[in-house]
Amino acid sequence: MENIIRTIGYALLFIINALLFYFLHSHFTFIVMVLMIVAPIISIVLALVVRRFVTVNISNTDKSYHFGRQHEEAFFEIKVNNPTPFVCLEAKLKVKIKNTFFKTEGERIIDMPLHAFKGYTLELPIIPTLPGIVSIEVASLTIKDLMGFKYFKKNIEVSNELVVMPCLVNENLSKLPEFEQGMLESEESSKKGNDFSDVHDIREYIPGDKLMSIHWKLSAKRDILMVKDRVSMSDRQMVILPELCGENNYLLEGVLAATYAIITSLIKDKTTVRLMYWSSKRYEYENIKLDYKEELDEAFAKMFYEDTYVGYDEASINMASVNPELKAYAHVYGDGGRVVVTIRENV
């Protein structure tokens, strides 16, 4: 609409100048009339030249790490390079912001000038509201000619992404000792040869022993704390299975946050963890051994490239048939509007 009004106004000025030249036969009005014909052509040609050679790059700035954090500010640098000696007073950059894991998408239009031989560089701050893969994509660049008559669009397919980790919450960890204890009790009832260490001996409690190693039933009988002495405490492994159900983004976010917090706590406790999740793409389980925080971040980054599914218990339904050797695991899922962490016997 703005372009139409501008064009109509310019045409009226040209008609008035032409009438003045017709009646006055002035050289000045003739020169003005010629300039009014040539100027729009030059303006449009210069805009076409700029559109032809302009390029766009997106990168993470030094303020962002390879892994971002949910609800924390991160930065992308968008650089529009203009190698020509011509300027553009108004350019519009169409930027799409996506979370490929949660299937959410937003769009922004950014106005900027393009300097000669330089272009324009802007720092785009984002605050991810959900964990996953946040993708910044420049879909198009629209350049306006100097006289403002026409926009020229250039389609651009440039993108960059940031892996966003869930918030690290502590409120889900209040029953973590009981959770680990339940896992160990389940595994002790199974035969040897699985991923968990075996009980070697039972002895009295010594200050400094982990609460999860206490044999609660025997302690209650003897009225004194008894501890299960294991062959190799460093070989203990906990299996965590989150459900990647995408029916409710709120619950899926909670499942990811609970899983991330539990595994972080177990790793700090020097407990080896196996993160398992169901891949609906490959129709198989991904099984990742985790000993360090860096491995946890890498595992989540890999998991974020999976597709979510509809069934809230699809992963647990397939566990017994696909992994019958596993005796127990911690199941993290959404149920009835809340996130549940429970220990399941693999039967």
Side-chain angles (χ1 to χ4, degrees):
M1 187 64 182
E2 177 187 351
N3 296 346
I4 296 175
I5 295 175
R6 187 185 297 269
T7 302
I8 293 174
Y10 192 83
L12 290 175
L13 288 176
F14 181 82
I15 293 172
I16 292 172
N17 186 76
L19 291 174
L20 290 174
F21 173 73
Y22 178 78
F23 289 108
L24 301 177
H25 297 283
S26 168
H27 286 86
F28 176 75
T29 56
F30 175 76
I31 293 173
V32 172
M33 187 169 62
V34 172
L35 289 176
M36 290 187 71
I37 294 173
V38 174
I41 298 174
I42 295 176
S43 177
I44 290 173
V45 169
L46 294 183
L48 289 172
V49 172
V50 173
R51 185 186 69 168
R52 169 68 178 80
F53 292 100
V54 72
T55 59
V56 180
N57 295 316
I58 306 177
S59 61
N60 295 110
T61 68
D62 293 334
K63 296 181 181 180
S64 299
Y65 298 97
H66 179 58
F67 298 115
R69 181 74 61 187
Q70 185 182 2
H71 300 309
E72 292 184 6
E73 192 172 47
F75 295 85
F76 285 90
E77 183 181 85
I78 302 178
K79 188 172 184 179
V80 183
N81 303 298
N82 177 24
T84 71
F86 311 121
V87 299
C88 175
L89 299 180
E90 184 179 345
K92 294 181 181 294
L93 203 64
K94 185 177 180 180
V95 179
K96 293 182 178 180
I97 304 175
K98 304 177 183 178
N99 187 311
T100 57
F101 187 73
F102 280 86
K103 303 296 187 297
T104 60
E105 182 175 340
E107 186 176 289
R108 289 183 61 180
I109 303 296
I110 302 173
D111 294 327
M112 64 183 71
L114 298 182
H115 305 290
F117 296 114
K118 184 178 179 181
Y120 192 84
T121 300
L122 66 92
E123 199 173 67
L124 181 65
I126 63 168
I127 300 179
T129 57
L130 293 169
I133 306 294
V134 175
S135 172
I136 302 294
E137 175 187 343
V138 174
S140 65
L141 176 65
T142 305
I143 296 172
K144 190 177 185 179
D145 72 282
L146 290 174
M147 298 189 69
F149 289 121
K150 188 171 178 58
Y151 282 101
F152 297 95
K153 182 178 179 181
K154 182 174 185 177
N155 293 323
I156 299 174
E157 294 184 1
V158 179
S159 63
N160 205 327
E161 60 185 30
L162 178 71
V163 182
V164 179
M165 294 297 146
C167 287
L168 190 56
V169 293
N170 295 319
E171 46 268 33
N172 291 332
L173 304 180
S174 59
K175 296 185 178 181
L176 188 56
E178 290 85 347
F179 156 70
E180 291 186 281
Q181 178 65 28
M183 287 292 295
L184 292 174
E185 292 287 352
S186 297
E187 288 303 317
E188 283 163 11
S189 65
S190 66
K191 59 184 180 181
K192 296 181 180 181
N194 54 37
D195 287 334
F196 294 79
S197 58
D198 299 310
V199 177
H200 176 66
D201 196 7
I202 297 179
R203 56 175 173 79
E204 291 187 8
Y205 175 82
I206 299 175
D209 287 336
K210 298 181 184 298
L211 291 178
M212 60 187 172
S213 296
I214 296 176
H215 195 304
W216 297 104
K217 293 181 181 179
L218 188 58
S219 297
K221 290 181 180 179
R222 296 192 178 184
D223 201 22
I224 186 173
L225 290 178
M226 302 296 294
V227 176
K228 292 167 283 190
D229 197 5
R230 300 178 180 278
V231 175
S232 175
M233 293 300 290
S234 62
D235 289 338
R236 291 183 297 111
Q237 295 185 14
M238 301 293 177
V239 177
I240 313 295
L241 178 72
E243 289 284 358
L244 306 182
C245 175
E247 284 291 282
N248 186 310
N249 282 353
Y250 172 77
L251 288 179
L252 180 56
E253 177 190 356
V255 167
L256 294 173
T259 302
Y260 192 84
I262 290 172
I263 295 178
T264 299
S265 181
L266 291 171
I267 288 176
K268 286 182 179 178
D269 196 35
K270 301 187 184 316
T271 300
T272 298
V273 183
R274 283 198 177 273
L275 171 65
M276 296 184 68
Y277 56 85
W278 178 249
S279 173
S280 58
K281 289 182 179 179
R282 304 185 305 276
Y283 208 72
E284 65 181 13
Y285 283 95
E286 188 69 35
N287 191 336
I288 306 174
K289 180 182 176 182
L290 305 174
D291 289 297
Y292 303 101
K293 177 66 165 53
E294 294 77 12
E295 294 176 339
L296 171 60
D297 290 342
E298 293 288 348
F300 263 66
K302 184 177 181 180
M303 184 172 66
F304 287 147
Y305 284 102
E306 296 289 344
D307 290 335
T308 58
Y309 40 78
V310 177
Y312 74 95
D313 59 349
E314 184 170 334
S316 58
I317 286 178
N318 297 317
M319 182 64 84
S321 58
V322 178
N323 296 284
E325 73 285 354
L326 184 64
K327 301 304 175 183
Y329 58 91
H331 189 207
V332 187
Y333 61 100
D335 181 35
R338 63 192 180 97
V339 176
V340 180
V341 182
T342 187
I343 299 167
R344 292 191 181 276
E345 298 287 341
N346 194 27
V347 291

